[in-house]
Amino acid sequence: MVGGEAVYGGVEAGGTKFVCCLGTGPDDIRAEVRFPTTTPEETLGRVVAFFREAAGRGAASAFREAGGSGAASAAAAEGARPAAVGVACFGPVDLDPASATYGHITTTPKPGWAGTDVAGVLRAALGVPVGFDTDVNGAALGEARWGAGQGMDPFVYVTVGTGIGGGAIVNGAPLHGLVHPEMGHVRVRHDRGLDPFPGGCPFHDDCLEGLASGPAMERRWGAPAQTLPAGHPAWELEASYLAELAAGLVCTLSPRRIVFGGGVMAGPGLFPMMRQRTRELLAGYVSSPAVTDRIDDYLVPPGLGERSGRLGALALAEAALAAG
Ligand code: ZN
């Protein structure tokens, strides 16, 4: 602790890269580092080393070494050992606190990572409470705490990139339930006359992820999604699939706002088409002006840009400390 105020560690644990940060929120990041995801031993070793070095040498020097920008806190110069660490982790993961494999990555096809006890390794090495959740729940929590989801409980964050996933914040905490929501794998209407692509999900073929993830778009159109120009039919089709999820969420969870993030959402014209199609699907039945009149302010991009996940990991750490 520094000056009586706890400092937290956040780990955005992705399948291709890890981002670790130390701080208390978006305006107080005292150190940050990123590195590629390699083996579990090497990658988690680098996470541990980052927090140990930050604690030992002071976060100011760690910040410079990491090549970050912005003001390092003078208060951190004495060293900043995180009071707790939060991990927003790629998965699937086990989130059942009663399970023997809580905090583990379960069945990922990523070589070497299936069965990795991410939370346990970090807790043992760092000796602090570790909060653990899915990557998308972490991003949802970050947006709810500091971004576009503030004051919008219940709130949903959807990411559309190499996969599709969604996290819901209900009463201030990520919704878990039976396992955790798998919003990307819901079934959507698939008109095979309009879209003959069979879908690419290894489990379901034409679930939402199978039809509308970045890799699905690339397979259907023969070119990476980010290269498809404005006016390409890909974007109207993509908007229609994502609108199925948005309308379904309005009807099931009644969120006060839904954020759509992830690389695919940068597609030209995608947001306006998705909003219009969502309103058409709801057909005036849900009478809130939030969706009938102000849908531009209802289906929105992340308020924290690309930082939702790592900042959400800080919020997970804070919650883990509060829970003891
Ligand atoms: Zn699926």
Side-chain angles (χ1 to χ4, degrees):
M1 295 204 186
V2 177
E5 183 196 7
V7 177
Y8 300 103
V11 182
E12 180 181 331
T16 55
K17 76 170 191 296
F18 271 50
V19 182
C20 302
C21 64
L22 186 75
T24 62
D27 301 324
D28 179 29
I29 296 299
R30 303 178 190 188
E32 187 172 298
V33 70
R34 64 188 62 207
F35 40 83
T37 308
T38 57
T39 63
E41 294 74 19
E42 181 179 47
T43 310
L44 296 178
R46 293 184 79 168
V47 174
V48 170
F50 168 74
F51 288 120
R52 284 184 177 160
E53 286 171 22
R57 297 196 320 254
S61 58
F63 195 95
R64 283 193 298 273
E65 189 168 289
S69 61
S73 167
E78 293 299 309
R81 179 175 178 270
V85 169
V87 186
C89 191
F90 75 99
V93 295
D94 186 343
L95 298 179
D96 177 2
S99 166
T101 54
Y102 169 79
H104 288 53
I105 291 175
T106 56
T107 54
T108 180
K110 191 165 177 59
W113 283 87
T116 297
D117 181 8
V118 175
V121 165
L122 297 181
R123 192 184 305 112
L126 297 169
V128 296
V130 173
F132 185 78
D133 216 315
T134 63
D135 44 9
V136 70
N137 276 348
L141 192 60
E143 285 291 321
R145 178 72 187 275
W146 293 297
Q150 293 176 83
M152 294 290 173
D153 197 320
F155 164 73
V156 172
Y157 177 97
V158 176
T159 183
V160 186
T162 52
I164 299 179
I169 302 299
V170 180
N171 296 326
L175 180 66
H176 290 157
L178 187 67
V179 279
H180 47 75
E182 288 284 5
M183 298 181 195
H185 293 271
V186 296
R187 302 292 179 153
V188 294
R189 283 182 290 186
H190 178 198
D191 180 344
R192 289 172 186 269
L194 185 72
D195 176 22
F197 179 62
C201 176
F203 291 90
H204 316 116
D205 295 328
D206 61 348
C207 66
L208 179 63
E209 180 173 294
L211 290 171
S213 67
M217 293 184 74
E218 181 165 354
R219 281 178 58 185
R220 179 190 291 108
W221 301 108
Q226 66 268 25
T227 67
L228 300 172
H232 192 287
W235 296 115
E236 189 170 356
L237 185 67
E238 182 73 3
S240 74
Y241 287 137
L242 298 180
E244 296 258 347
L245 176 62
L249 288 170
V250 171
C251 294
T252 51
L253 292 175
S254 206
R256 294 183 188 279
R257 181 175 279 167
I258 306 172
V259 160
F260 277 80
V264 169
M265 294 312 298
L270 182 55
F271 263 102
M273 287 189 286
M274 178 180 74
R275 290 169 180 140
Q276 182 184 337
R277 183 66 186 145
T278 300
R279 212 162 45 178
E280 289 169 9
L281 289 172
L282 292 170
Y285 182 71
V286 175
S287 60
S288 168
V291 290
T292 55
D293 299 339
R294 298 195 297 269
I295 201 161
D296 288 1
D297 195 39
Y298 184 77
L299 303 178
V300 299
L304 299 171
E306 296 180 352
R307 300 197 300 161
S308 315
R310 72 203 71 158
L311 291 168
L314 287 183
L316 287 170
E318 190 179 50
L321 185 67

